[in-house]
Amino acid sequence: MLYNAYSQKLAGQQNTRSRKEPVSYLNVMVVGQTGMGKTMFVRTLCERLKSNIIQGTLKESRPMALKEPLSATEDYYSISMHVEENGERVSFTLIDTPGFDDGVVINDQLDYVAKYIDHQFERTLVEESKVKRDKKALDTHIHACLYFLDTAHNCLSDIDRFALRSLSSRVNVIPVIGKADTLTLLQQEGLKKGLRKDIFDTLQIPIYGFIELEDDDEEEEEECAVENQSAKKDNKEQQQDEESRVEAQERGSLNMAHILRRLREYVDDEDEDARTMVEYLEHMPYTVIAYEGDPETGRPLTLTPDQNTNQQDHREENNNSDSNEPKILEPGTDASNNDNQQPKRSDSIRSNRRNKGVLGRQYPWAVVECCNPDHCDLEKLRSMIVSGHRDMLRIDTFERFYENYRTEKLLRRRVDKLTATETKNGKVLA
């Protein structure tokens, strides 16, 4: 129930949760322009979570949403499931949305998204206004919005700029780079730097993780009253500024470097929330790769990581066959034993890997794995949402976005009531 869920800080409830207490609710919306890979990401994430899903809890608002051939998303639909994460039961819902179309006014498309988010807040406000509340009321708030960015340029597109500004005022926006397998590592690095600079420095869009640092000039002047202390502080500040400049070049954003520096001060004080936020900012925006689906069924193709090894071994065998250099054996070594021992060990390792299918995409030169941290950030993103940042996203949604909506709504009702009263008494307000 929403009211119990937020009656105390969620981070301290892990070890005190009652058996009768409801599960944690986490609702994530996927938004972005058409063709950015949103729908395939939803399918890939659901496939990845399959081993954690509690039997009988998977529900699709649209029949066969995960098992039909891939096509453009024309209407909102959701995939809901209960997953077991770190000993806790989480009711996880993914909402897929139609992509923004250049042929339609962006304002109209964003208004529809905003109304969907606001409708969930309105449900809570209506329930709170009842004399007798429903004890089984569910938390339908949108706790996070995964926004898939346009990767055509090393900066935010005009649509992305407008959309991020609009959405970040009512939901936790987490930028994502889809179809990362189409980008080289150098392209990914340049793209991330450009996007961070636009978001944190140029536009200062308050996405999830953006922290508005306070101006401490007055405090600094007081602390610098004594010359000796002032000299020490100046040296420390110069060192910190230099470290921030170095990190700014690495991250692509000076503001992000300052935020990370401030958060790391709390990490040193063993602040777990600060540590998880630092990890998030260091990888943001996340790169993801969706699995390759069967054109007829949409289901993932059966791939094995051993295909990469076979291709590498084939190249090595060709190199070895071209070499005429004799093999030198250690004294007392049997040549026949030496030839048989090594292949058996490698064959055993490969046999174990063949039994494990992977989600990925097959190219002529290799298999790209969706859940391989060396290939993309899907695993980091999954862990961040479902586990590491789950409680922070929920608390931030309730204490900031819902409270803003509630305050604005109640003030508007009061103004409307006063206007109606004045009109009834024959007075018209200017």
Side-chain angles (χ1 to χ4, degrees), residues 52 68 120 125 154 164 211 246 273-274 293 304 341 366 427:
N52 300 80
E68 62 185 3
Q120 314 312 318
L125 185 58
N154 283 356
L164 288 176
I211 300 174
V246 172
D273 288 346
T304 59
Q341 285 175 357
K427 298 178 181 179

Side-chain angles (χ1 to χ4, degrees), residues 13-19 21-24 88 390 394:
Q13 291 183 351
Q14 283 84 347
N15 297 325
T16 60
R17 186 181 298 275
S18 169
R19 290 184 179 181
E21 193 172 352
V23 298
S24 299
E88 289 190 295
R390 182 184 71 233
R394 295 173 63 208

Side-chain angles (χ1 to χ4, degrees), residues 21 44 105 125 239:
E21 193 172 352
T44 302
V105 179
L125 185 58
Q239 182 180 359

Side-chain angles (χ1 to χ4, degrees), residues 105-116:
V105 179
I106 184 64
N107 282 347
D108 296 339
Q109 300 176 83
L110 278 173
D111 283 346
Y112 200 82
V113 177
K115 288 178 180 178
Y116 186 97

Side-chain angles (χ1 to χ4, degrees), residues 341-357:
Q341 285 175 357
Q342 187 61 29
K344 285 183 180 180
R345 289 172 55 192
S346 59
D347 288 346
S348 175
I349 296 174
R350 293 171 191 168
S351 177
N352 292 333
R353 289 173 61 84
R354 286 193 190 102
N355 294 330
K356 297 180 180 180

Side-chain angles (χ1 to χ4, degrees), residues 257-272:
H258 287 319
I259 292 171
L260 284 170
R261 188 183 73 184
R262 182 65 59 86
L263 286 172
R264 288 182 182 125
E265 294 176 2
Y266 292 98
V267 172
D268 294 338
D269 296 332
E270 299 182 355
D271 188 323
E272 189 65 20

Side-chain angles (χ1 to χ4, degrees), residues 237-248:
E237 285 181 348
Q238 289 177 2
Q239 182 180 359
Q240 290 177 342
D241 290 341
E242 181 61 28
E243 292 175 354
S244 295
R245 281 193 290 269
V246 172
E247 184 156 21

